[in-house]
Amino acid sequence: MATSEAVRQLLSGALPRLGWFDLSLSNVNGFISVQSGINNTRKRSSVCAQVHKHSRISQDRRRICAFQAKNGVFHGKNDVSRLNSMSCKCQKAESLTGATAEDQHRDLLVDDSDKATSIPPNGITSPGINEFEVDQQLKHEKGGFGSNGKPATAGKHKESRQKVRTNSIEDEAWKLLKNSMVYYCNNPIGTIAANNPSSTSTLNYDQVFIRDFIPSGIAFLLKGEYDIVRNFILHTLQLQSWEKTMDCYSPGQGLMPASFKVRTVPLDGDDFATEDVLDPDFGEAAIGRVAPVDSGLWWIILLRAYGKCSGDLSVQERVDVQTGIKMILKLCLADGFDMFPTLLVTDGSCMIDRRMGIHGHPLEIQALFYSALLCAREMLAPEDASADLTRALNNRLVALSFHIREYYWIDMRKLNEIYRYKTEEYSYDAVNKFNIYPDQIPSWLVGFMPSTGGYLIGNLQPAHMDFRFFSLGNLWSIVSSLATLDQSHAILDLIEAKWDELVADMPFKICYPALEGQEWQIITGSDPKNTPWSYHNGGSWPTLLWQLTVACIKLNRPDIAAKAVELAEKRISLDNWPEYYDTKRARFIGKQAQLFQTWSAAGYLVAKLLLANPSAAKNLVNEEDSELANIFSCMISSSPRRKRGWKKQILV
C-alpha cells in the first residue's frame, strides 16, 4: 500500500521526480515543445526543428490564360505583371476534391496538437501535448497497479503514445508531400523530387521526375485526390516525343521525358508580363546522357491506377491518350537485332541511373515492361487499327513471362544445376542455353542462398549471369505476376530469411551485395557516389517500402511489410526523410543523400494507407492471366522444336 500510494503521489506531482518536466508549452513556428529537466541544457533536435521551421516554401503560382507548344517546350501566358507575380504570396488553389480553398488549407496545416514530438539527440523523448493528455487520461481510467508494482494501464500507455507518434509522422509526411507540389495553369501538376529549404544546391531535385512522382501520385489516389494525377498524366503526354528524328541527340518517337520543370520567362514584347513553360528533359542534361526507358512504362502503370482508383475511364479513352499508349508500345516492341523477348537497354536507364553494370536486360525494366504490357492491353480501345499491335503485345507477354520465369529464376535447386553445367553445347536441346560458366557463381551466393526461397537474378546475357538481388525488379515481378505464385512466395521467404542483409536498420536495400574493390572500380568506373554500400551500390532506399507493401498484401502476407514500416518509423522522420541510407546495416544517412526527399515520404504514406486498407492494393496489382498461364505450362512441357512450331501458330 505504501508503494502504491507513493507512486500515485509521484504521478500526480505531489512528490519530486528524478526527471521533472516543465510543462510550459511554447509554440515555436507551429511546433509544440515540452521542456524536460532531464536534458534541459540541450536544445531540441534540429531535425524536428528544421522540419517545422521550414515546412513551407513560397511557390510562385501564376494564372495562365493559354499554352502552346514551341520547339517542344510548352508555354503558358500570364496576365499578371512580372513584378507582382514575383512578389505575391502563394494563394491556395481550389481543392482537388472540390472543397473550398479554406478547407484545403486546413487539411494542409495540421493543428498544433498533431505536431511531431521532438526527440533530443540522447534518445530520451519529451512527450508532446497529445501524449501528456493521453497520460493524464489513462491515469484516471481504471486506476490501480499490478502485482509487480507497475500501473495496470502501462500497456495502454505505450500503445497510445505509439499511436500518437505514428499519426504525427504521417501528418509530417503529408505536409512534406503537399509542400512539394508544383503548379501550372494554377493547377497541381506534380511534385518536385526534394524540398529541402536549408539546402542551396538543388541540382535537378527541383524538377518533377516521372518515376519519382509514381508513389506521390498513388498516395494522392489512395487519399481520393485525383486532379493532380490527372493533370500529371495529360501534361506529361503533351511532352512526349511525337516526331521521329534521325538526330542521335534527339529523343525517339514515343519516348517519355525523365523529368520536367516549370519555368517562368519574360513574355516577348512585354516587359512586365511573363509566361510559364514546361521544359522537359529526355536525358540530354542527365548525368551520362541516358534516355529513361522506365518513364513511359511507369506512365502507363499510373494511368491504369488512376482509372481503377477514381473510376474515371474517360482519360484513358481519350484519342490523344490512346495514341500515347500505342507510341510507347511501338517503341518497346520495335524489331531489332536482339533475339531475346526482354528489352535491351543501356546502363542508367531506370531507377539505377548511373553505371552499375546493369546494361543489357536488367530485371527492373523487364518487370515494368511486363506490367505495362498488361495495363496497356487492358486499356487499349478495341479497334481494327490496334489488332496488329494487340497481337504483338500478346505474343511478347507469353515469351517474356516464359523467359524470365525459366531463365532468371534461381534457388538452391537451380544453383546446384548451374554448378554442374556443361559448356559449349550446340543444339536445340542444350541445357546450358546461354553458355554460362559455373565458375561465375560468386562465393557470397553460396552462403546467401537459403535452403527455402529464391529470387530472380538481376540480368542475363550470353555467358553472363548477374546474381545480385535487385529489390525493385523482384518486388514488381510479384506485383505484376511476372513471377509465378510459387516464385512470388519464395521471394518473400528469402526476404524474411535474409532480413538482416536486405533490411537491417532501414528498409530497403536497392541491391545486394555491393560491388567492392577492383570489381567496383571496373564496373562503376570508380564512381565516387556509388561507393560500396552507398547510393545505388547497396544503399537502402525508404521509397521501396510501397512496392514491398503492395507485394506483401497481394500474397496475403502484410506482416512482413508492417514490420518494415515499423522499423522505418523509428528514424525516417528524425532523419529528415533522407533519399537513401549508407552502410551494410543502413545506420548512416547517405553521404550525398538529399533530405526532405519527396518519394521517401510518399513511399511511407502509400505503405501506411495500404496497410490500413489492404483492399485498395487490387488497383495496383496485375493478376495472372489464366490464358497466359496455360500457354506457359504448355511451353514448359513442350520440346524446343514444338515451341518453335507453336509460336508460328499464334502469330497467324
Side-chain angles (χ1 to χ4, degrees), residues 295-352:
S295 291
L297 306 177
W298 276 124
W299 184 85
I300 292 177
I301 293 169
L302 182 64
L303 174 62
R304 173 184 180 263
Y306 170 80
K308 289 280 188 179
C309 292
S310 68
D312 176 18
L313 302 182
S314 63
V315 174
Q316 66 188 46
E317 292 171 353
R318 289 173 46 146
V319 175
D320 56 342
V321 174
Q322 288 284 313
T323 303
I325 295 174
K326 293 175 184 177
M327 291 178 65
I328 296 173
L329 293 179
K330 289 178 180 178
L331 182 64
C332 294
L333 297 173
D335 292 333
F337 290 101
D338 195 23
M339 294 288 289
F340 299 157
T342 44
L343 274 183
L344 178 63
V345 299
T346 59
D347 234 338
S349 60
C350 52
M351 181 179 177
I352 298 179

Side-chain angles (χ1 to χ4, degrees), residues 413-449:
R413 182 195 64 80
K414 187 63 179 288
L415 191 59
N416 270 282
E417 180 182 316
I418 297 173
Y419 183 73
R420 295 173 56 83
Y421 264 171
K422 295 180 180 179
T423 59
E424 318 304 328
E425 294 182 287
Y426 176 81
S427 71
Y428 291 118
D429 299 320
V431 175
N432 186 2
K433 293 180 173 59
F434 304 102
N435 202 35
I436 303 300
Y437 301 104
D439 288 343
Q440 287 187 18
I441 299 176
S443 58
W444 65 264
L445 182 60
V446 178
F448 178 77
M449 182 62 69

Side-chain angles (χ1 to χ4, degrees), residues 307-571:
K308 289 280 188 179
C309 292
S310 68
D312 176 18
L313 302 182
S314 63
V315 174
Q316 66 188 46
E317 292 171 353
R318 289 173 46 146
V319 175
D320 56 342
V321 174
Q322 288 284 313
T323 303
I325 295 174
K326 293 175 184 177
M327 291 178 65
I328 296 173
L329 293 179
K330 289 178 180 178
L331 182 64
C332 294
L333 297 173
D335 292 333
F337 290 101
D338 195 23
M339 294 288 289
F340 299 157
T342 44
L343 274 183
L344 178 63
V345 299
T346 59
D347 234 338
S349 60
C350 52
M351 181 179 177
I352 298 179
D353 57 4
R354 298 171 76 93
R355 180 178 168 187
M356 270 287 290
I358 61 170
H359 58 278
H361 308 88
L363 176 64
E364 177 183 328
I365 289 295
Q366 315 315 321
L368 293 176
F369 182 36
Y370 187 80
S371 181
L373 289 177
L374 288 176
C375 293
R377 187 177 66 171
E378 185 179 322
M379 294 185 294
L380 278 176
E383 55 185 26
D384 294 338
S386 302
D388 291 340
L389 184 61
T390 303
R391 187 180 299 110
L393 187 153
N394 284 327
N395 289 346
R396 182 62 74 91
L397 280 170
V398 174
L400 182 60
S401 62
F402 173 81
H403 188 83
I404 296 296
R405 294 174 180 184
E406 183 72 6
Y407 303 126
Y408 275 62
W409 180 253
I410 188 166
D411 53 14
M412 186 57 74
R413 182 195 64 80
K414 187 63 179 288
L415 191 59
N416 270 282
E417 180 182 316
I418 297 173
Y419 183 73
R420 295 173 56 83
Y421 264 171
K422 295 180 180 179
T423 59
E424 318 304 328
E425 294 182 287
Y426 176 81
S427 71
Y428 291 118
D429 299 320
V431 175
N432 186 2
K433 293 180 173 59
F434 304 102
N435 202 35
I436 303 300
Y437 301 104
D439 288 343
Q440 287 187 18
I441 299 176
S443 58
W444 65 264
L445 182 60
V446 178
F448 178 77
M449 182 62 69
S451 56
T452 59
Y455 65 98
L456 296 168
I457 63 172
N459 209 335
L460 175 66
Q461 299 182 75
H464 173 71
M465 295 183 78
D466 187 345
F467 289 100
R468 286 176 291 176
F469 178 90
F470 288 88
S471 300
L472 178 54
N474 274 277
L475 293 175
W476 208 257
S477 294
I478 298 175
V479 174
S480 65
S481 294
L482 176 58
T484 66
L485 183 60
D486 290 340
Q487 289 175 344
S488 298
H489 279 289
I491 292 171
L492 292 189
D493 289 341
L494 179 131
I495 290 174
E496 284 192 303
K498 295 299 176 180
W499 189 263
D500 286 343
E501 287 86 349
L502 301 177
V503 181
D505 292 341
M506 176 61 67
F508 201 93
K509 284 278 187 300
I510 191 171
C511 69
Y512 182 90
L515 300 172
E516 298 182 280
Q518 190 176 32
E519 188 179 29
W520 165 76
Q521 293 177 344
I522 295 173
I523 293 180
T524 73
S526 300
D527 188 345
K529 193 168 185 178
N530 270 336
T531 52
W533 308 108
S534 178
Y535 201 49
H536 296 315
N537 190 15
S540 296
W541 294 69
T543 187
L544 293 172
L545 272 174
W546 78 272
Q547 288 101 335
L548 172 66
T549 304
V550 177
C552 291
I553 291 177
K554 181 185 178 183
L555 298 182
N556 198 26
R557 299 172 68 174
D559 52 304
I560 300 176
K563 180 181 177 182
V565 170
E566 183 179 357
L567 191 65
E569 286 176 337
K570 295 180 180 179
R571 294 178 53 196

Side-chain angles (χ1 to χ4, degrees), residues 92-101 104 186 188 227:
K92 284 300 296 179
E94 187 177 346
S95 171
L96 301 180
T97 57
T100 63
Q104 189 178 0
N186 208 32
D227 286 0

